[in-house]
Amino acid sequence: MNRELPKSPEGAPPLTVQVWGRGALFTRPELKVERVTYPVMTPTAAIGVLEAIFWKPEFGWRPVAIDVLEPIHQFTQKRNETTDLVMLEDAVKHETTVDSPGNRTQRNSICLRDVAYRIHAHVELREHATKPEAAYRDQFRRRVERGQCFHQPYLGTREFSAHFGPADDSEPQPITDDLGIMLHSVHYGEKSPSFSWFTARLESGRMHIPRTGINTDAPVEA
């Protein structure tokens, strides 16, 4: 059905975790004023979930595939938002007030309903790592089994909280579709962040994620 998932440098298969929730919004970058979701969790959203469960500066997460475990259903949502945003340093100093009623705007979003995914990912050690890869893998498994996390994971936006647990053997949904260009990763440097992209495709319910994306020189707003 699907090609084999890549193994880690130590020869281990990817770690897996199952996540689910009542809603999700993985915003397409070309449609973020009136937000429209991808039909599948994005790699950056998967990294956010993994880091909420377990993160240390000694390693980074590299998702290699995402399985879609529930049929794809969409719904629309209208909400009030404010355009009067405050810089963090001003908020800390209490030097700025927010006029939400005077800067209110209504926006529509097309979201996903009743979602479930299985994330496959590797731990990638950094130079200053003090333990072998296996040690971090074991810590992650224990945290998933105990339901431990640093903060509640979410599915695209914080209003859609995610539950998580060990992966089961449920088959991915029999869906094959081209998803278009998708954000692969964000690279933070001394100047503006840069972004890399890939052509995403859902094949028999599984989206494979290449090791690297195509970099763009022009910074794009997050």
Side-chain angles (χ1 to χ4, degrees):
M1 178 178 65
N2 288 297
R3 62 179 185 268
E4 186 177 357
L5 296 177
K7 295 184 178 180
S8 72
E10 295 185 0
L15 289 164
T16 58
V17 61
Q18 210 146 306
V19 298
W20 62 93
R22 299 189 62 183
L25 175 58
F26 309 112
T27 305
R28 300 188 74 103
E30 71 273 28
L31 298 169
K32 63 181 182 181
V33 176
E34 299 290 340
R35 299 183 180 94
V36 177
T37 183
Y38 284 105
V40 180
M41 170 184 273
T42 61
T44 50
I47 291 173
V49 169
L50 296 167
E51 290 184 343
I53 298 171
F54 183 51
W55 178 84
K56 283 182 177 294
E58 288 84 0
F59 71 85
W61 285 106
R62 181 171 71 87
V64 295
I66 297 172
D67 295 339
V68 178
L69 304 178
E70 292 290 342
I72 297 173
H73 297 301
Q74 295 180 331
F75 71 99
T76 60
Q77 175 179 269
K78 180 178 288 185
R79 58 187 175 184
N80 294 324
E81 299 182 2
T82 179
T83 59
D84 186 15
L85 303 178
V86 180
M87 299 293 290
L88 178 59
E89 53 266 32
D90 293 336
V92 171
K93 297 176 183 176
H94 303 287
E95 293 180 346
T96 304
T97 58
V98 178
D99 181 15
S100 295
N103 295 277
R104 181 179 298 158
T105 180
Q106 280 195 332
R107 289 184 175 178
N108 287 305
S109 299
I110 298 178
C111 311
L112 298 171
R113 182 193 306 279
D114 298 327
V115 299
Y117 305 100
R118 186 163 47 231
I119 302 171
H120 306 262
H122 284 301
V123 167
E124 288 202 329
L125 300 182
R126 298 193 170 115
E127 291 183 356
H128 60 282
T130 56
K131 298 178 181 177
E133 176 191 310
Y136 299 113
R137 295 169 60 87
D138 289 342
Q139 289 183 61
F140 176 77
R141 290 194 192 94
R142 289 196 296 270
R143 292 182 68 85
V144 170
E145 291 171 357
R146 296 170 182 166
Q148 291 179 306
C149 57
F150 295 126
H151 61 82
Q152 187 67 38
Y154 54 90
L155 299 167
T157 60
R158 290 187 181 274
E159 65 196 279
F160 294 126
S161 298
H163 306 281
F164 65 93
D168 59 24
D169 297 327
S170 55
E171 289 290 325
Q173 292 294 310
I175 305 171
T176 297
D177 194 10
D178 289 321
L179 307 177
I181 303 300
M182 183 178 286
L183 179 64
H184 181 277
S185 52
V186 183
H187 310 279
Y188 296 96
E190 296 180 355
K191 300 180 179 179
S192 300
S194 62
F195 303 81
S196 60
W197 309 82
F198 73 109
T199 303
R201 177 175 170 79
L202 190 63
E203 190 168 352
S204 300
R206 172 170 289 180
M207 181 178 73
H208 290 271
I209 304 167
R211 182 173 182 80
T212 59
I214 300 173
N215 291 320
T216 57
D217 294 329
V220 180
E221 295 181 6

